[in-house]
Amino acid sequence: MTTKRVIAVCESAIFKNRGIVLSLFLLATIFLAYQAMQLKLDASFSKNIPLNHEYMQNYVKYQEDFGGANSILVAVCDRDSDIFNQNFFDTLKNVHDQLFFIPGIDRSQVSSLYSPATRFTEVVEDGFSGGPVIPADFSSNDPKALDKVQENIVKAGIVGRMVSDDFHCSMVSARLLEINPNSGEKLDTIQFADSLETQLRDKYENDQISIHIIGFAKMVGDVANGAKGVLVFFAIAIAITGIMVYLFSKSLQKTILTLVCSVVSVIWQMGLLTVFGFGLDPMSILVPFLVFAIGVSHGVQMINAVGKEVRRGMTVCNAAQLAFVSLALPGGIALLSDTVGFLTLLVIDIGIIRELAITASLGVAVIIMTNLILLPVLISFVTLGDKFKGRFIESAGRADKYWQFMSRAATPKVAVYIVAISVALFAFGFYQSGKMKIGDLDNGAAALHEDSRYNQDTFLITDKFAITVDYMSVLVETTAEGCTSNSVMQAMDDFQWKMTNVEGVQSAVSLPSVAKIVNAGYNEGNPKWRVLPRNQQTLVQAIARIPTSSGLLNGDCSVMPVILFMENHKAETIEHVIDKVKEFRKQYESDDLKFLLASGPVGVMGATNEAVKAAQGPMMWYVFGAVILLCLLSFTSIRATLSVVLPLYLVSVLAQALMTYLNIGLTVSTLPVIALGVGIGVDYGIYILSTMNEKLKQNMPVQQAYLEALQERGSAVLFTGITLAIGVSTWVFSALKFQMDMGILLTFMFIVNMLGAIIVLPALAALFWYKKNP
């Protein structure tokens, strides 16, 4: 059975049973709307990392020994003076205790001045003396007790780590569990972030005390709060689109139906996510709008086709049937290209991108139902009188003048210039896109604006402390009791010294560096003895004072991390430090000694950046491969396929070049944008070329074929490109930086893809069919 025959059978079955079709759609929409109301924002640390990457395999392997990278830092600061006053210490204790009891916190990993494990050691006449930095009998209202704590802080060597260099702040740190111990379910990161605000900041911040919180969970919470503003932009986009659709269609009924069907597609998308057990990640919050945008794009093509037939004297019902038949193939191929293109993102081994692929492909797949079936059925019930027809007589005449002018793009003489300019733009874009960097390019959280509370907290902590959440652990793996070997410890110490002097590394700590301090303590604190003992018994004596709770060794002393505290987590910093780790470790590795990358937050970022870099090329191949295959099946012509695909590739290269000018790095959140842009942009070309291809098969000259395609589809293509660009351009006012960046990129891709379809595509067609139609 031919494709045309299949479409004819479907058309007959659908329009002869319109009541049943509408009833089925209504029931499905009610059910999925209920399911959509159960949809929750879902964010987790593990979804943002490539779990199968080499670094993450090492991270997971030793996570129980050294904790995960999902940590929280809470800096408690005195606004006016140093920390040695009663109000500050009472607040610090309350913050420590409150954080300890928040569900999701690993209580064994909560650390502050009030932690029993926070101890000092000093050399006295009889050997060593030490104890908790804050004694059990500490009283915050006793000046002498405060002075004693100050002495202990200096002795403990925690200035810069647990107490700020200026003694105005003190740190409370903790690591998070993957499972909420109260519910036994996966930790709700967004709810946890809200708890940090309500139970810490809101409770204890005042005119004298400020609270500063950073960490992955807190960042995700702030992104989720900012993402709620997407609803406002969604409403604005619907309003703008509604006005534009009305101006285009000249019919309030058709405008409402177009918007309703596009909104129904979003409802179905979110309902299906719940049915399949997914949530909506804050970083994927923009996808429903893109589904709405794609729905409007195809809806406008449908009402445009119906309107043209009605103006030719056909009844609305017959016009709707004819529009269904004429658009089923190009619309179906375009939406199938979008769906398959989005599904190619599943090859990227990062959970959040795979979820985005599923979210986007589900949304686009349902548009096949809502906009290619439901919309024409609904339109078939609409009444359009002579007044509607009269509105288009004058505008149609004006439009034909523009189409005549634009059709010159499909003449060989003009096409040569268009293609030459396109080649020049491609060369420029290709050169500039080569400068695009992988990962975050700014300090702080790239998803948030620089002046956001989270990033301001990050800058304060980075400024006042010698440590931040920006640290990476190089895991030194050796034999059991390897820490008692001078050669192993010396190799680690030499490696640490070299890494400390690498640009981008702020400080470093490891078992050997602490053991040297202990050894000096055994020798009256003499700096000359701050070395690693060569005698094994003396080395064991130095190490014996360092517990596994320090995070510097595991139970059998077979794995010891070298912790590198970074100046920032910029992509170039991470790449430079990792390259130096790989360079230096070659000097020390042997069969029994391995330096493994990497744990800690920066280790996770490094693995993610490498995974994104590795996925970039294959993703583009898969996306364009899917589009090429479907275009070949649809048009059965290599020339037609190239005419659609080449402008898309040009725009994707120019979009990457634009990212370099906007200082946007290729990250987990920006990687899918090019695929999304290609998926949406292919629709324009398919609608234009589907009409052209039919005319060309009839041996019609290319220019005439393009002119008729413009008269048939051009106004709808121009309208959707401009309307959707206006809708996403409002995102520049978003509270989220990544949404603002996406708004700029998508506005660019909507407009330029549209221009590519109406300027570059016909120029390529003119050259490809030149010999056939001289």
Side-chain angles (χ1 to χ4, degrees), residues 349-376:
D349 185 28
I350 299 176
I352 187 174
I353 294 182
R354 288 182 169 178
E355 283 195 14
L356 184 145
I358 294 169
T359 303
S361 56
L362 273 177
V364 175
V366 300
I367 293 175
I368 297 175
M369 304 290 291
T370 59
N371 287 68
L372 296 186
I373 298 177
L374 176 60
L375 181 57

Side-chain angles (χ1 to χ4, degrees), residues 441-633:
L441 304 185
D442 297 307
N443 290 322
L448 300 167
H449 288 291
E450 186 175 324
D451 60 355
S452 66
R453 179 64 192 265
Y454 182 89
N455 279 336
Q456 289 302 308
D457 285 350
T458 300
F459 301 150
L460 180 139
I461 290 173
T462 303
D463 180 59
K464 289 185 175 291
F465 292 86
I467 62 166
T468 68
V469 288
D470 291 339
Y471 69 87
M472 175 174 65
S473 297
V474 179
L475 302 167
V476 181
E477 190 178 67
T478 183
T479 56
E481 307 304 328
C483 60
T484 62
S485 166
N486 177 268
S487 61
V488 170
M489 295 286 279
Q490 193 63 56
M492 286 181 62
D493 190 48
D494 290 348
F495 174 80
Q496 178 186 335
W497 181 82
K498 288 185 176 180
M499 290 307 304
T500 304
N501 289 281
V502 169
E503 184 180 356
V505 176
Q506 192 176 51
S507 61
V509 65
S510 68
L511 184 64
S513 65
V514 176
K516 289 194 295 182
I517 297 172
V518 175
N519 187 54
Y522 275 113
N523 293 275
E524 299 179 347
N526 191 327
K528 291 182 179 180
W529 288 94
R530 190 170 283 196
V531 294
L532 288 170
R534 296 192 178 188
N535 180 277
Q536 189 175 43
Q537 287 75 22
T538 308
L539 182 59
V540 170
Q541 177 182 255
I543 294 169
R545 289 215 164 248
I546 306 170
T548 55
S549 60
S550 65
L552 298 178
L553 69 165
N554 66 346
D556 65 356
C557 215
S558 61
V559 181
M560 299 155 281
V562 177
I563 305 173
L564 308 175
F565 295 100
M566 314 279 279
E567 292 179 355
N568 55 63
H569 60 255
K570 292 182 180 181
E572 54 192 10
T573 303
I574 296 175
E575 184 178 7
H576 176 66
V577 172
I578 287 178
D579 287 344
K580 287 299 182 181
V581 170
K582 292 177 179 178
E583 176 187 338
F584 293 146
R585 69 181 179 180
K586 293 178 183 177
Q587 303 173 26
Y588 306 106
E589 286 191 327
S590 63
D591 292 340
D592 297 329
L593 185 62
K594 303 293 181 186
F595 288 75
L596 306 177
L597 285 162
S599 185
V602 172
V604 170
M605 291 179 191
T608 304
N609 290 350
E610 290 185 11
V612 167
K613 185 176 183 179
Q616 180 189 8
M619 182 198 73
M620 296 298 288
W621 281 106
Y622 289 131
V623 169
F624 279 98
V627 171
I628 289 170
L629 179 61
L630 288 168
C631 285
L632 283 172
L633 292 174

Side-chain angles (χ1 to χ4, degrees), residues 248-548:
F248 176 80
S249 68
K250 308 293 194 299
S251 168
L252 182 61
Q253 292 172 300
K254 293 202 308 186
T255 298
I256 292 173
L257 292 180
T258 302
L259 296 180
V260 165
C261 288
S262 298
V263 170
V264 165
S265 64
V266 175
I267 292 172
W268 281 32
Q269 174 200 31
M270 294 193 289
L272 287 171
L273 284 176
T274 304
V275 170
F276 292 135
F278 292 100
L280 188 63
D281 194 279
M283 302 300 280
S284 303
I285 199 74
L286 307 179
V287 174
F289 174 82
L290 294 179
V291 170
F292 173 78
I294 295 171
V296 169
S297 175
H298 290 272
V300 166
Q301 291 289 347
M302 185 65 69
I303 64 173
N304 179 57
V306 172
K308 287 185 179 298
E309 298 304 326
V310 169
R311 293 195 294 278
R312 290 169 183 163
M314 193 174 286
T315 65
V316 176
C317 185
N318 289 338
Q321 289 178 256
L322 186 59
F324 171 82
V325 171
S326 63
L327 294 180
L329 184 60
I333 291 295
L335 289 168
L336 196 58
S337 297
D338 296 348
T339 304
V340 174
F342 296 157
L343 282 174
T344 59
L345 293 172
L346 289 172
V347 302
I348 301 174
D349 185 28
I350 299 176
I352 187 174
I353 294 182
R354 288 182 169 178
E355 283 195 14
L356 184 145
I358 294 169
T359 303
S361 56
L362 273 177
V364 175
V366 300
I367 293 175
I368 297 175
M369 304 290 291
T370 59
N371 287 68
L372 296 186
I373 298 177
L374 176 60
L375 181 57
V377 170
L378 288 173
I379 291 176
S380 69
F381 290 99
V382 171
T383 301
L384 298 173
D386 293 335
K387 188 177 179 181
F388 168 80
K389 300 176 186 178
R391 294 174 183 172
F392 289 89
I393 296 175
E394 185 180 349
S395 60
R398 290 198 305 266
D400 280 342
K401 295 178 183 178
Y402 291 116
W403 300 148
Q404 287 283 356
F405 174 77
M406 291 182 64
S407 69
R408 295 170 62 191
T411 59
K413 185 176 180 181
V414 176
V416 169
Y417 290 105
I418 292 174
V419 171
I421 293 171
S422 299
V423 170
L425 285 173
F426 174 79
F428 165 76
F430 188 80
Y431 168 76
Q432 190 64 31
S433 64
K435 299 178 182 179
M436 186 169 63
K437 296 180 180 178
I438 310 297
D440 294 338
L441 304 185
D442 297 307
N443 290 322
L448 300 167
H449 288 291
E450 186 175 324
D451 60 355
S452 66
R453 179 64 192 265
Y454 182 89
N455 279 336
Q456 289 302 308
D457 285 350
T458 300
F459 301 150
L460 180 139
I461 290 173
T462 303
D463 180 59
K464 289 185 175 291
F465 292 86
I467 62 166
T468 68
V469 288
D470 291 339
Y471 69 87
M472 175 174 65
S473 297
V474 179
L475 302 167
V476 181
E477 190 178 67
T478 183
T479 56
E481 307 304 328
C483 60
T484 62
S485 166
N486 177 268
S487 61
V488 170
M489 295 286 279
Q490 193 63 56
M492 286 181 62
D493 190 48
D494 290 348
F495 174 80
Q496 178 186 335
W497 181 82
K498 288 185 176 180
M499 290 307 304
T500 304
N501 289 281
V502 169
E503 184 180 356
V505 176
Q506 192 176 51
S507 61
V509 65
S510 68
L511 184 64
S513 65
V514 176
K516 289 194 295 182
I517 297 172
V518 175
N519 187 54
Y522 275 113
N523 293 275
E524 299 179 347
N526 191 327
K528 291 182 179 180
W529 288 94
R530 190 170 283 196
V531 294
L532 288 170
R534 296 192 178 188
N535 180 277
Q536 189 175 43
Q537 287 75 22
T538 308
L539 182 59
V540 170
Q541 177 182 255
I543 294 169
R545 289 215 164 248
I546 306 170
T548 55

Side-chain angles (χ1 to χ4, degrees), residues 34-248:
Y34 172 76
Q35 294 296 325
M37 288 189 289
Q38 316 303 315
L39 185 68
K40 296 180 179 179
L41 286 177
D42 175 33
S44 71
F45 182 73
S46 59
K47 287 198 307 184
N48 286 265
I49 61 178
L51 290 172
N52 292 319
H53 191 280
E54 174 196 351
Y55 301 173
M56 294 302 93
Q57 293 289 304
N58 296 328
Y59 161 82
V60 171
K61 183 178 178 181
Y62 295 110
Q63 186 174 2
E64 290 188 10
D65 290 323
F66 303 110
N70 192 7
S71 57
I72 287 292
L73 296 183
V74 182
V76 183
C77 298
D78 193 298
R79 297 181 190 270
D80 302 319
S81 64
D82 61 33
I83 65 175
F84 302 106
N85 59 78
Q86 181 181 357
N87 181 52
F88 180 88
F89 271 88
D90 289 347
T91 304
L92 181 65
K93 187 176 190 309
N94 289 333
V95 169
H96 173 101
D97 294 344
Q98 193 73 54
L99 185 64
F100 185 87
F101 287 107
I102 293 178
I105 288 291
D106 184 349
R107 295 177 179 176
S108 66
Q109 296 289 336
V110 178
S111 177
S112 77
L113 292 177
Y114 277 95
S115 302
T118 305
R119 303 174 66 83
F120 73 94
T121 303
E122 64 177 330
V123 180
V124 295
E125 186 177 350
D126 296 329
F128 280 98
S129 175
V133 169
I134 296 183
D137 59 352
F138 172 73
S139 175
S140 61
N141 61 359
D142 183 356
K144 291 183 178 179
L146 291 172
D147 291 341
K148 184 64 176 175
V149 168
Q150 184 172 3
E151 291 177 12
N152 293 346
I153 288 171
V154 175
K155 294 173 185 175
I158 55 176
V159 176
R161 292 191 294 118
M162 200 169 284
V163 176
S164 65
D165 294 328
D166 62 2
F167 287 93
H168 277 254
C169 304
S170 184
M171 186 76 75
V172 184
S173 62
R175 289 198 173 100
L176 274 61
L177 301 168
E178 284 290 321
I179 303 298
N180 186 326
N182 291 355
S183 63
E185 299 178 353
K186 186 174 67 172
L187 180 66
D188 186 333
T189 305
I190 297 171
Q191 185 180 45
F192 175 83
D194 289 339
S195 298
L196 294 176
E197 283 292 325
T198 56
Q199 297 186 41
L200 295 182
R201 203 191 309 266
D202 293 348
K203 213 169 185 182
Y204 299 112
E205 189 168 66
N206 52 48
D207 292 340
Q208 186 176 347
I209 300 295
S210 61
I211 306 292
H212 310 271
I213 311 171
I214 62 174
F216 173 81
K218 186 66 182 71
M219 184 271 290
V220 168
D222 286 4
V223 169
N225 288 331
K228 294 174 183 176
V230 170
L231 296 176
V232 176
F233 291 106
F234 193 66
I236 293 172
I238 291 177
I240 292 173
T241 304
I243 294 170
M244 298 290 285
V245 171
Y246 177 75
L247 293 174
F248 176 80

